[in-house]
Amino acid sequence: MLSRTVRVGVGAATVLLIAAFVVAAVVSGMTGGRTIDLPSAGSSGSPGASASPGASGSPGASGSPGGSGPAADELYVHVSGAVARPGLIRVPAGSRVVDAVEAAGGFAESADPGGVNLARPVQDGEQLRVPVLGEAAPANGSVSEAAPGSAGAGGLVDLNRATAAQLETLPRIGPALAQRIIEWREANGRFAAVTDLRNVTGVGDKIFDGLKDRVTV
């Protein structure tokens, strides 16, 4: 009886041992015979762990708009007299008297437009006065320093020495008429008297009356 019990126990142990090998074989087949490492806490990067949004330069960081270049050249002219808004005005380089008067609001009702040469180029820093009707205008149509050689006694423009640009400072004298005055001077030697201006083509009685007190020979 005892030997039979021993045989049953050995048999049972053998069955358990075989079952253990079978289980081990099954598990080994499922894992492919490799060790599986469990990830440690925090070993994998959390979503978004790379550079955060906006790490690159923010929009517009490359150079602020509004860094404009220098403004274009301008002239400062003091416009006084019979204009709508007398005072210091700014006009672009190359402007003429007509532009300065317009920037000052235009002629006043009492202005004498013939008292200034609207075609004359203005200079930076000059004072331009528009006379009222009946007022004697400055010899050059503005209060400014005369160019060397252009003026005689009392600030009068010398017809025998003035250049075309200097003649254009006179009222009603534009580039074409200034050139004709010079051509007459070169053809006839010189102006012997102010009245010789009447011999220049384009100088009528009205223009001569406006010039006779502003020129000399």
Side-chain angles (χ1 to χ4, degrees):
M1 185 59 130
L2 180 59
S3 61
R4 183 178 178 182
T5 301
V6 171
R7 284 197 300 270
V8 171
V10 172
T14 302
V15 170
L16 290 175
L17 183 60
I18 293 173
F21 278 113
V22 170
V23 171
V26 170
V27 171
S28 177
M30 291 175 63
T31 62
R34 294 174 297 170
T35 302
I36 302 176
D37 294 327
L38 295 176
S40 60
S43 64
S44 61
S46 60
S50 57
S52 61
S56 58
S58 60
S62 61
S64 60
S68 57
D73 291 342
E74 294 180 320
L75 304 178
Y76 285 80
V77 181
H78 181 192
V79 183
S80 62
V83 291
R85 295 190 301 271
L88 184 65
I89 57 97
R90 292 184 298 177
V91 291
S95 295
R96 297 180 181 269
V97 170
V98 64
D99 301 312
V101 171
E102 183 179 355
F107 290 113
E109 292 183 2
S110 60
D112 178 11
V116 290
N117 178 9
L118 296 177
R120 178 179 64 80
V122 295
Q123 300 176 0
D124 185 45
E126 80 166 80
Q127 183 179 13
L128 170 66
R129 177 173 176 78
V130 177
V132 298
L133 291 170
E135 176 186 353
N140 61 353
S142 64
V143 181
S144 59
E145 186 176 345
S150 67
L156 302 179
V157 175
D158 190 336
L159 294 175
N160 291 315
R161 300 174 60 192
T163 64
Q166 292 160 356
L167 289 170
E168 288 179 39
T169 64
L170 294 167
R172 300 185 178 90
I173 302 296
L177 187 51
Q179 185 60 37
R180 286 199 294 270
I181 291 173
I182 292 176
E183 290 173 354
W184 190 95
R185 182 177 69 193
E186 292 174 347
N188 295 274
R190 66 188 305 274
F191 286 92
V194 172
T195 53
D196 287 342
L197 268 176
R198 292 179 179 272
N199 299 323
V200 178
T201 302
V203 179
D205 291 340
K206 188 174 182 179
I207 293 179
F208 178 76
D209 289 342
L211 296 177
K212 64 182 180 180
D213 296 328
R214 296 176 171 86
V215 296
T216 188
V217 294

